[in-house]
């Protein structure tokens, strides 16, 4: 089959990691007889430099016309001084909204060969670590009104409508049915009104899924539980802000933030696939970034947007076999061990597919 993919490499390490992911995708095409056609478009700092805006209309149009979207990462110190409307990050938030991608799936799984890269004591991860953060992506304090008073006080309006919570909650319960039938809803209902709406709504939605166990946890406790007993989590259902923070935390227990992929999806098959990490300006241009999060994001694209489960399995198995053979980029290597470059890691995974 033929698939049209909009590719936004973005900033910092974005181009390096996306190139490796496309290398792996090309290998999938060769092996399984698919044609992946790439349409490269600009977002973030690269778009600001070329077109004066972090999200050109042309980029939105290309994404809407595609079967799926791949993104590297956006942002960097070069653009940090810009007003919020013009920042690279605004381009990312804008494309999520424009494509209606209200579900952000972030699977944190500890690959067995990486147990030594996990910062937790072995007894803490005895039950394994295989959880799915199901993060709401187009609401919350991210998208509420922002302004500054004359005296300089800053405001970001945090809000959640019942409908917004309902639709993400349904997705989380459906996801749990494909996993271990357990949802943990994370909020701050002891303090925030948005969280009380969140919890009441999740409680109502939960009644439609009597086969799925549900529990409720305050976000501060959840942050603590993630490092003391991560094996208790199956699907973690969260709002936009809490999900952003908890998924970075979950990623580091899988060995590195360079391991964690994500899928942003909505009502249709059109999704956007990106690593959860940023543009890593500190290591950009050095060919040392870990491309695995982006490669695994491509696997999620094959699974969720194209319904190509065997192809997705092949990519994930290739990553596992390369890790099992002891190959590591710097972020997951043991001290003193030789680290592979980003492109060497991409070559090995592509070869293993
Ligand atoms: P970051 O995720 O870019 O980097 C945090 C740390 O993790 C750095 O030390 C970095 O070197 C390391 N790291 C990240 N990805 C890695 C990889 N693949 N391999 C090895 N190491 C990796 O977060 P930050 O430094 O807080 O943000 C940098 C810029 O990225 C900011 O402009 C931020 O707004 C942006 N950002 C973008 C996205 C995105 O595009 N989705 C996500 C997060 C941050
Ligand atoms: C992420 C990033 C973004 C977010 C930023 C860059 C807007 O941190 O994708 O995790 O907060 O969603
Ligand atoms: Mn983040």
């Amino acid at each position: 089959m033929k698939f049209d993919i909009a590719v936004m490499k973005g900033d910092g390490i974005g181009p390096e990691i996306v190139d490796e992911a496309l290398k792996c995708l090309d290998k999938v095409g060769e092996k399984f007889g698919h044609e992946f056609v790439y349409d490269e478009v600009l977002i973030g700092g690269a778009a600001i430099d070329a077109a004066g805006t972090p999200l050109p209309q042309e980029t939105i149009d290309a994404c809407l016309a595609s079967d799926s979207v791949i993104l590297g990462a956006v942002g960097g110190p070069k653009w940090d001084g810009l007003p919020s409307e013009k920042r690279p990050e605004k381009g990312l938030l804008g494309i999520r909204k424009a494509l209606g991608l209200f579900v952000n799936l972030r699977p944190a799984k500890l690959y067995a060969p990486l147990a030594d890269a996990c910062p937790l004591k072995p007894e803490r991860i005895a039950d394994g670590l295989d959880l799915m953060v199901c993060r709401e992506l187009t609401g919350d304090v991210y998208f509420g009104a922002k302004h500054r008073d004359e005296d300089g006080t800053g405001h970001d309006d945090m809000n959640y409508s019942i409908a917004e919570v309902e639709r993400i909650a349904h997705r989380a319960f459906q996801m749990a049915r494909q996993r271990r039938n357990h949802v943990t809803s994370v909020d701050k209902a002891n303090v925030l009104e948005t969280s009380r709406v969140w919890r009441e709504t999740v409680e109502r939605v939960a009644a439609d899924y009597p086969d799925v166990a549900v529990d409720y946890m305050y976000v501060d406790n959840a942050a603590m539980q993630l490092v003391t007993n991560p094996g208790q989590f199956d699907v973690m259902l969260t709002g936009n802000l809490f999900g952003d923070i908890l998924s970075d935390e979950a990623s580091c227990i899988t060995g590195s933030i360079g391991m964690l992929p994500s899928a942003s999806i909505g009502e249709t098959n059109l999704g956007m696939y990106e690593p959860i990490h940023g543009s890593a300006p500190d290591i950009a241009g050095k060919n040392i970034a870990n491309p695995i999060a982006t490669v695994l994001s491509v696997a999620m694209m094959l699974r969720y947007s194209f319904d190509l489960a065997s192809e997705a399995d092949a990519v994930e198995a290739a990553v596992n076999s390369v890790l099992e053979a002891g190959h590591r980029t710097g972020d997951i290597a043991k001290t003193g061990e030789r680290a592979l470059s980003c492109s060497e890691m991409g070559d090995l995974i592509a070869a293993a597919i």
Side-chain angles (χ1 to χ4, degrees):
M1 278 181 75
K2 175 173 171 286
F3 299 95
D4 292 312
I5 301 171
V7 175
M8 302 186 287
K9 294 185 177 177
D11 309 317
I13 60 171
E16 302 164 47
I17 53 177
V18 169
D19 283 346
E20 299 317 308
L22 298 185
K23 194 186 273 178
C24 295
L25 193 54
D26 286 337
K27 188 65 192 295
V28 169
E30 238 173 73
K31 184 163 176 203
F32 291 87
H34 302 299
E35 192 187 347
F36 299 111
V37 181
Y38 308 126
D39 180 11
E40 202 178 314
V41 284
L42 296 173
I43 194 169
I48 294 171
D49 290 351
T53 163
L55 184 60
Q57 186 60 43
E58 194 187 317
T59 296
I60 302 177
D61 294 342
C63 291
L64 284 168
S66 72
D67 294 313
S68 179
V69 184
I70 294 174
L71 171 76
V74 299
K78 181 176 176 190
W79 306 280
D80 277 347
L82 293 173
S84 74
E85 282 303 303
K86 299 201 158 151
R87 287 180 63 108
E89 292 84 352
K90 185 74 184 177
L92 176 57
L93 298 176
I95 194 69
R96 288 172 178 168
K97 195 74 162 180
L99 302 182
L101 308 175
F102 65 90
V103 187
N104 188 214
L105 299 175
R106 297 187 159 191
K109 176 173 148 178
L110 180 61
Y111 281 80
L114 279 193
D116 59 36
C118 173
L120 304 184
K121 293 179 188 155
E123 59 269 27
R124 299 277 189 228
I125 48 168
D127 295 343
L129 165 67
D130 180 3
L131 64 89
M132 179 72 87
V133 176
C134 182
R135 168 192 180 197
E136 199 288 328
L137 199 60
T138 53
D140 203 352
V141 67
Y142 274 62
F143 289 91
K146 295 175 189 297
H147 75 274
R148 280 195 203 194
D149 294 340
E150 267 170 24
D151 71 359
T153 307
H155 299 264
D156 296 275
D157 179 31
M158 181 180 237
N159 59 72
Y160 261 125
S161 71
I162 292 171
E164 282 174 318
V165 182
E166 272 172 356
R167 64 181 184 176
I168 187 71
H170 278 290
R171 295 300 186 94
F173 281 96
Q174 287 156 11
M175 176 56 63
R177 280 185 169 163
Q178 294 166 34
R179 295 174 49 96
R180 301 190 305 277
N181 290 293
H182 180 195
V183 169
T184 305
S185 178
V186 177
D187 61 38
K188 188 74 186 172
N190 49 348
V191 177
L192 301 175
E193 206 51 41
T194 42
S195 280
R196 286 190 271 271
V197 170
W198 180 278
R199 191 174 287 212
E200 288 160 22
T201 307
V202 174
E203 279 168 350
R204 274 198 311 277
V205 170
D208 292 348
Y209 303 84
D211 51 317
V212 178
V214 57
D215 46 38
Y216 301 88
M217 209 177 260
Y218 298 133
V219 61
D220 44 355
N221 182 28
M224 190 264 284
Q225 297 286 333
L226 260 179
V227 292
T228 49
N229 181 13
Q232 72 184 286
F233 297 111
D234 177 16
V235 174
M236 269 183 131
L237 166 61
T238 75
N240 204 345
L241 180 62
F242 299 155
D244 178 43
I245 298 166
L246 292 177
S247 57
D248 264 36
E249 187 187 358
S251 80
C252 78
I253 41 191
T254 70
S256 162
I257 194 168
M259 292 296 299
L260 219 84
S262 85
S264 304
I265 50 189
E267 304 284 6
T268 69
N269 279 347
L270 174 60
M272 186 162 89
Y273 298 86
E274 51 168 315
I276 79 151
H277 60 70
S279 58
D282 51 334
I283 57 166
K286 297 183 178 163
N287 191 24
I288 57 171
N290 185 349
I292 292 180
T294 319
V295 171
L296 292 173
S297 299
V298 158
M300 293 187 88
M301 176 185 79
L302 294 167
R303 193 180 301 285
Y304 294 113
S305 277
F306 301 161
D307 208 14
L308 298 174
S310 308
E311 287 81 342
D313 289 345
V315 175
E316 288 165 1
V319 168
N320 194 55
S321 74
V322 166
L323 293 174
E324 218 153 45
H327 302 298
R328 303 278 188 272
T329 42
D331 57 321
I332 47 177
K334 286 190 204 142
T335 348
E337 201 176 52
R338 187 184 103 79
L340 295 182
S341 69
C342 179
S343 51
E344 284 171 327
M345 180 56 97
D347 287 341
L348 285 170
I349 300 169
I353 290 172

